[in-house]
Amino acid sequence: MPLFSSTQTKLPPFPCSTLYPLSRSLSSVPTLKLRRLTNLPQPLRVRAIDAAQPYDYETHIKTHFHQSNSLKIAIFGFGNFGQFLAKAFVNQGHSVLAYSRSDYSNTAQKLGVSFYTDPHDLCEQHPEVVVLCTSILSTESVIKSIPFQRLRRNTLFVDVLSVKEFPRDLLLKHLPTEFDILCSHPMFGPQSGKHTWVGLPFVYDKVRIGDSGFRINRCKKFLDIFAREGCRMVEMSCEEHDRHAAGSQFVTHTMGRVLEKYGLVSSPINTKGYETLLDLVDNTAGDSFDLYYGLFMYNKNAIKQLERLDMAFEDLKKELFGHLHEACRKELFGHAKARTEISDDKEPARPRKLLSLGAQNGVLVNTITETEKSD
């Protein structure tokens, strides 16, 4: 039998008094519940946003990749070469800090670099890599002025000087033993590398790199900056570098400065070789004399190369004057031999007189009389 027959009357609505007795004042009922109980219209009210927001997976991956591959790099010495490197660092997404004795704050702002006038303030930012872009002559004083105690104990120090044994010995002497050391030499500059770094040599020596994966990976990430720019990466000891550099870089700078003092200027009939010499003068003249002096003073192989250059020039002069002397001898004694042959044949000889032997416009000229010309 069904519980309710079709003839049964419908039950009345559930009385409010069962929830809130009549003895209880309606003013004590919460407004929202009161509206529900009395079937009054309820306005829309937002109490909280707890819905899941759209997840930008691509942006998250991109941010994670950037953070895992970027470095915080501090540059000590923000001159021409420091700015030159900083531009490439920033373009690859690295965070760059800079310190220099001169105020380069405006230049740094244009490049997207944070500039500091106090090395203590910079070191408190805990850079992962410290790059020394100072001149060779001021390297030791700059290293001594760095507040190592404000840096992390495993900070990587990188020098980019044109000589290698000298800064390596300084870093090993003054740096705490916990710090990593990478000696490097980008063998190009703002002039030779202003258009591209592709194919240009980057020499490096891992002097002291910790065994942990983090420190090895950090060194690799720094080297990858130059590899990604297309540099030809050359791992070489500091001793071998200085030996080769004295025979290439020092000789190049020497010849460029010699030609500059010679006064090499362009002409309306320049050859390709002459244009190369003019470019050499332009490239070397843009560097300071302190750089050239540092190449000579702090590379023990430079003196030997300078002596070889001097000997080569003297040998070349001897060879030239030797050929000149031989030409003069043939000119002088050749006529004497001819006169001897004529006298032996008992033929009358015309008088010959050598008036002068000189040089005009770089060409040896033998001046003779009109009678001799008729011979």
Side-chain angles (χ1 to χ4, degrees):
M1 179 177 180
L3 294 177
F4 299 100
S5 65
S6 59
T7 58
Q8 287 179 323
T9 59
K10 295 182 179 181
L11 294 176
F14 194 82
C16 296
S17 59
T18 58
L19 294 177
Y20 293 92
L22 296 176
S23 61
R24 184 176 178 180
S25 175
L26 291 178
S27 61
S28 64
V29 181
T31 303
L32 181 60
K33 291 184 178 181
L34 181 62
R35 288 180 180 275
R36 289 175 179 173
L37 293 173
T38 58
N39 294 325
L40 295 176
Q42 301 179 17
L44 178 63
R45 296 197 308 169
V46 179
R47 292 183 175 272
I49 300 178
D50 55 358
Q53 299 299 307
Y55 185 76
D56 193 345
Y57 182 77
E58 183 179 352
T59 302
H60 175 75
I61 293 298
K62 184 178 180 181
T63 303
H64 177 72
F65 177 81
H66 172 74
Q67 292 177 348
S68 62
N69 287 276
S70 63
L71 293 169
K72 183 184 287 188
I73 304 173
I75 298 177
F76 275 76
F78 203 57
N80 290 333
F81 196 72
Q83 297 169 23
F84 174 66
L85 293 181
K87 185 177 180 180
F89 296 164
V90 172
N91 288 341
Q92 291 196 21
H94 300 284
S95 177
V96 182
L97 321 173
Y99 163 77
S100 188
R101 290 176 298 179
S102 302
D103 186 6
Y104 291 108
S105 54
N106 292 333
T107 303
Q109 185 177 7
K110 294 177 182 178
L111 294 175
V113 175
S114 301
F115 186 80
Y116 293 83
T117 57
D118 191 322
H120 291 261
D121 295 336
L122 184 148
C123 291
E124 286 179 349
Q125 302 303 315
H126 295 161
E128 299 171 78
V129 182
V130 174
V131 181
L132 300 176
C133 289
T134 62
S135 67
I136 300 175
L137 304 182
S138 61
T139 301
E140 185 169 13
S141 62
V142 171
I143 292 176
K144 290 181 178 180
S145 68
I146 297 176
F148 301 123
Q149 72 278 6
R150 300 186 183 277
L151 294 169
R152 290 177 178 171
R153 289 189 301 169
N154 62 359
T155 304
L156 171 62
F157 269 73
V158 182
D159 91 276
V160 292
L161 273 64
S162 299
V163 294
K164 293 273 67 73
E165 288 186 90
F166 172 68
R168 178 203 61 187
D169 295 342
L170 286 179
L171 292 172
L172 289 173
K173 177 181 178 182
H174 295 291
L175 257 62
T177 56
E178 297 86 1
F179 287 6
D180 289 347
I181 300 174
L182 175 68
C183 289
S184 69
H185 182 198
M187 302 195 69
F188 50 89
Q191 290 295 325
S192 56
K194 60 183 176 182
H195 299 301
T196 180
W197 293 6
V198 176
L200 299 178
F202 180 87
V203 183
Y204 64 95
D205 184 11
K206 299 177 182 178
V207 177
R208 187 173 69 198
I209 305 297
D211 295 332
S212 66
F214 164 74
R215 296 166 79 166
I216 295 174
N217 186 54
R218 179 180 57 189
C219 179
K220 181 180 180 301
K221 285 195 290 185
F222 182 81
L223 293 174
D224 283 346
I225 296 175
F226 298 89
R228 291 174 62 184
E229 293 291 334
C231 292
R232 180 165 55 89
M233 308 299 288
V234 182
E235 187 170 6
M236 180 182 295
S237 67
C238 294
E239 294 85 356
E240 189 177 1
H241 167 275
D242 283 0
R243 186 169 63 254
H244 289 299
S248 59
Q249 188 182 31
F250 177 71
V251 171
T252 300
H253 278 260
T254 300
M255 297 308 300
R257 292 189 174 272
V258 167
L259 293 174
E260 181 186 14
K261 290 185 177 296
Y262 172 79
L264 203 69
V265 294
S266 181
S267 72
I269 54 172
N270 289 351
T271 63
K272 290 294 184 180
Y274 194 78
E275 291 287 350
T276 302
L277 294 180
L278 291 173
D279 291 340
L280 174 62
V281 173
D282 290 339
N283 288 334
T284 54
D287 296 320
S288 65
F289 186 80
D290 285 348
L291 170 61
Y292 177 60
Y293 178 71
L295 295 176
F296 171 75
M297 184 69 180
Y298 296 101
N299 189 339
K300 62 185 180 183
N301 303 282
I303 295 179
K304 181 179 179 181
Q305 296 300 327
L306 197 60
E307 292 174 347
R308 289 185 62 190
L309 279 174
D310 188 50
M311 291 173 60
F313 189 64
E314 288 297 327
D315 288 345
L316 187 60
K317 286 198 302 182
K318 289 178 181 179
E319 187 175 357
L320 286 174
F321 284 112
H323 281 72
L324 176 64
H325 181 68
E326 186 64 25
C328 293
R329 285 177 58 86
K330 289 182 179 179
E331 188 70 26
L332 290 171
F333 294 103
H335 291 302
K337 181 179 180 181
R339 289 196 297 270
T340 303
E341 292 176 352
I342 293 174
S343 61
D344 291 340
D345 294 338
K346 298 182 179 180
E347 293 183 1
R350 297 180 182 180
R352 298 171 61 88
K353 183 179 181 182
L354 188 65
L355 296 180
S356 64
L357 183 67
Q360 297 178 1
N361 297 326
V363 179
L364 190 64
V365 177
N366 182 18
T367 306
I368 58 178
T369 62
E370 293 297 329
T371 305
E372 290 173 313
K373 289 180 180 179
S374 61
D375 292 341

